[in-house]
Amino acid sequence: METTLGGSALEALKGGLKGDAYTPGDGGYDEARAAWNLNAHQHPALVVMAEGASDVLAAVRLARDEGLGVGVMATGHGVAAPCDGGVLINTSRMRGVRVDPDTSAARVGAGAKWADLVPEAATHGLAGLQGSTSHVGVVGYTMGGGFGWLGRKYGFAADSVKEADVVTAEGELVKANAHENADLFWGLKGGGGNFGIVTSLEFALYPVTHVFGGNLFYPVERAEEVLELYSRWAEDLPEEVTSAVAFLNVPPIPDVPEPLRGRSVITVRFCYTGEDLAEKGEELLGPWRGFGEPIMDTFGVMPYEAMDMISMDPVDPIGAYGHSEMLRELSRETRRTLVDLAGSGSDTPLLLLEMRQLGGALSRPPADLNPMGRSDAAYAMNGIGATFTPEMAQAVQAYLAHVAEAAKPHATGATYVNFVDLNGASPERVKAAYSADDWERLVELKGRRDPGNLFRYNRNIPPSSAEGADGAQSANPAT
Ligand SMILES: Cc1cc2nc3c(=O)[nH]c(=O)nc-3n(C[C@H](O)[C@H](O)[C@H](O)COP(=O)(O)OP(=O)(O)OC[C@H]3O[C@@H](n4cnc5c(N)ncnc54)[C@H](O)[C@@H]3O)c2cc1C
């Protein structure tokens, strides 16, 4: 049923906003609710294009008064539960970024992307812990943990957070750090945006200007041998190296280098950050130099600003579904399953099946909330399919279900908050991203800080008062 909003409350909101507000039928509504993931169709009762904390505050207060839920979107890369019938706060105009070289810290607005921060930080010889693409939002990524190519050395982005300004479910703007609202602060750093709308975030930066990184692309027919060598090679890598191995069905588009265009390949990729980049990087590649000619070798020293080149994620909006599992190891049986799923002759419709290496700082028991279920997984597997037609969407979803089933014997059963997406943000999957202790504490915190589940269009943690708050039976409140 479509919820409609109108009357004096809406007029008062619009009159007081710095930004704009749109209801269904308004020009601007469609653009304001559109997500990067074109499969995320959201039908909010109201979209507020916020231009500051006061706009966020006003939107949250209106939602409370009208008995509606609240969703927040910066880029729409991570819509897990569409904001249907609620108030959607679009933060994409709040992209301010400030870097303090004296404290090696950054403060960013709710809508800033990593791409907004990277050049500012680079000016001072510093870098934040971005993921595979700088087009993802800093705040949304960090709320779900956040790890990328510096992960094994510096850990999750959430662990580097120093402070946040947050609009709470009570409709107040508060500061959260280790001393003020410390409970909220703990829940923000991995709790997937369940406890409030962050209007600005401060976090540590690191002295990284260049890295050694790239890809070695091989024909998919060599997948078995590549996986075998990779699994041995990766075991001994130092923490300064974060690596991955990925099956790719490269689209036949002009943006892609000619040797890869339209081909199925398997790629070994890594990023090294440390001393003597060129020399040590070449040394790390040693075992691969005797493996045979790759289709393409893109390794070299690169500025941190060019790091998107390692993962080559799509930049423009696409329809996509994904599924992720945490793999215990790359044993012979696991490797065989992966080749069956994505190797030559598999007819996989997926764009990508990637195994990202964990370990190092990502696997040490953190002082804080862990967004990966504290599992003993060695790899985070992520399968992604692009969907340009309803038939493709069906085929991709069916294949992802097959991937989930086939991977089961090799997986820990845990999930990773940021990789729980539109394709399966069920209460069970969200719960599986946390240890039992963390989950209990999160549900209790949600019950105290957001008992009405105002912030429900997300990877949702039900409040302790909710029926089935153990996450086992409760229906996703957003659907
Ligand atoms: C192409 C691609 C590459 C990715 N690579 C990585 C990667 O390398 N590592 C990794 O860890 N993740 C990765 N992700 C996952 C991504 O980090 C999550 O989907 C993240 O939630 C996206 O945040 P966003 O703000 O860009 O997206 P949005 O869809 O705008 O937001 C997603 C969610 O973040 C929360 N959120 C956003 N803004 C706020 C706010 N102001 N206050 C509170 N909560 C908020 C909300 O719960 C919201 O529903 C990737 C995703 C894609 C699509």
Side-chain angles (χ1 to χ4, degrees), residues 35-36 72-80 91 110-111 130-133 135-148 188 192-194 196-199 313-314 356 384 416 418-420 457-459:
W36 178 87
V72 57
M73 177 171 78
T75 69
H77 276 76
V79 179
T91 60
Q130 76 160 67
S132 55
T133 165
H135 295 273
V136 160
V138 177
V139 173
Y141 165 90
T142 305
M143 299 293 97
F147 82 97
L188 289 174
N194 268 278
I197 309 290
V198 170
T199 58
D313 285 347
R356 291 196 193 182
I384 309 266
Y416 167 47
N418 266 350
F419 289 170
V420 173
Y457 304 106
N458 48 29
R459 294 142 179 146

Side-chain angles (χ1 to χ4, degrees), residues 183-206:
D183 61 334
L184 188 58
F185 187 57
W186 173 83
L188 289 174
K189 299 189 295 168
N194 268 278
F195 302 103
I197 309 290
V198 170
T199 58
S200 85
L201 192 70
E202 188 179 319
F203 51 90
L205 301 174
Y206 299 93

Side-chain angles (χ1 to χ4, degrees), residues 33 56 62 83 116 191 193 200 250 267 290 294 321 324-325 367 373 399 428:
R33 71 188 167 122
V56 175
L62 179 90
C83 182
D116 299 319
S200 85
V250 184
T267 170
Y321 289 115
S324 175
E325 295 286 347
Y399 206 81
E428 292 81 3

